Amino acid sequence: MEVKNKYVAIKNHIDGDPNESDFSICEELLSVNLQPQRSDDDDDVVVQNLYISIDPSQINRMKSHSCVHTIIPEASAVLRDRCAIAAIGVGRVVDSRHPDLKAGDVVWGLLSWGEYCVVKGGHLLQKLDTSFGFPLSYYAGGVLGTSGLAAYAGFFKVCKPKKGDKVFVSTACGSVGILVGQYAKLSGCYVVGCAGTKEKVELLKEKVGFDDAFNYKEEIDLSSTLQRQHDDDDDDDDDDDDDDVLS
């Protein structure tokens, strides 16, 4: 059986700020019934996408040149015109030649900005246990997805905070930082974050529950700003960048 599969692609490489005009809605006829297996490594899986995480990091794949293009070829190589944009997401298996996946399974992995996709060899797909009853969207880009894993591992396994510690979170309004701040508060820490706009600073303090936050673009000396917030000897610095605070 064939379906009309709609997906999002870039019209050309984007080396500045992305605009709606840089993208197009494409359509293709896609067979959702796989042919009989032709070889032992022919483990393709057809997935109907349910939730997709659209992350800032994906812009790097849309650029004509970026250092990430060679890191993980399957996930970070430069995008070509009219190719679907890959993204972490959650979907339901429609047909499968993979021995560990069958039609109806709910899976997490590298899917695409589209209604359906064919995952070659079932690469990076994991079957989800839905018996816990969590919303499937949590796995796409939320607390149970890659952002949640990065936040949890970075905070609890690397920083290893204690109650009363003072924690600074850079890029605190990002998908990782915003979770780290909440983990820190739940752990009894004093939490300060930085962000790049007044609106984000207000969000951190008024909605997310940070003890304090500041706009790094308005600060001349970030070290002095942090010194004002708390003593360096007690600080945990949590972000998913380098040790320096990056814009």
Side-chain angles (χ1 to χ4, degrees):
M1 182 179 73
E2 289 186 332
V3 297
K4 288 185 178 179
N5 179 39
K6 292 183 179 180
Y7 64 93
V8 180
I10 58 172
K11 293 180 179 178
N12 39 58
H13 292 129
I14 306 170
D15 291 313
D17 293 334
N19 295 296
E20 185 177 349
S21 59
D22 293 317
F23 301 89
S24 61
I25 304 295
C26 301
E27 191 173 286
E28 64 178 354
L29 283 177
L30 179 69
S31 175
V32 294
N33 297 117
L34 296 169
Q35 298 298 316
Q37 193 169 14
R38 295 184 295 271
S39 63
D40 291 340
D41 58 354
D42 187 14
D43 294 336
D44 294 354
V45 182
V46 180
V47 179
Q48 182 180 18
N49 301 330
L50 301 176
Y51 294 95
I52 291 296
S53 178
I54 299 178
D55 301 302
S57 60
Q58 291 169 350
I59 192 64
N60 290 316
R61 292 200 63 194
M62 302 175 193
K63 296 178 180 179
S64 54
H65 300 284
S66 174
C67 62
V68 307
H69 290 166
T70 58
I71 295 175
I72 306 175
E74 298 89 344
S76 61
V78 62
L79 286 173
R80 304 300 177 187
D81 295 354
R82 296 191 65 81
C83 288
I85 301 169
I88 294 295
V90 175
R92 182 172 284 109
V93 174
V94 178
D95 197 8
S96 172
R97 287 196 294 251
H98 196 286
D100 299 328
L101 300 171
K102 65 181 185 300
D105 286 345
V106 177
V107 293
W108 172 95
L110 192 64
L111 306 180
S112 67
W113 291 18
E115 296 174 334
Y116 294 86
C117 64
V118 178
V119 182
K120 297 295 184 181
H123 187 63
L124 298 179
L125 283 184
Q126 296 182 24
K127 181 179 177 179
L128 292 179
D129 184 351
T130 59
S131 64
F132 294 105
F134 297 123
L136 295 180
S137 59
Y138 286 13
Y139 295 93
V143 68
L144 298 178
T146 52
S147 294
L149 178 61
Y152 182 90
F155 187 64
F156 290 107
K157 301 300 182 181
V158 178
C159 288
K160 299 179 180 179
K162 300 182 294 294
K163 184 176 181 179
D165 279 353
K166 298 174 182 178
V167 176
F168 167 63
V169 186
S170 67
T171 59
C173 254
S175 60
V176 175
I178 208 164
L179 290 173
V180 168
Q182 293 176 82
Y183 291 157
K185 288 300 297 179
L186 290 170
S187 300
C189 300
Y190 182 87
V191 185
V192 176
C194 74
T197 68
K198 176 183 177 182
E199 292 76 15
K200 290 180 179 180
V201 169
E202 291 176 350
L203 174 70
L204 292 173
K205 294 192 292 185
E206 297 175 8
K207 298 290 186 181
V208 184
F210 279 55
D211 293 291
D212 206 350
F214 62 90
N215 184 343
Y216 65 85
K217 295 179 180 178
E218 297 177 350
E219 300 295 333
I220 298 175
D221 186 341
L222 291 177
S223 296
S224 297
T225 301
L226 291 177
Q227 186 67 48
R228 290 200 311 268
Q229 299 291 343
H230 44 245
D231 296 331
D232 288 338
D233 289 342
D234 295 328
D235 292 347
D236 280 328
D237 183 350
D238 201 309
D239 57 44
D240 65 339
D241 297 309
D242 296 324
D243 290 336
D244 294 335
V245 179
L246 305 177
S247 59

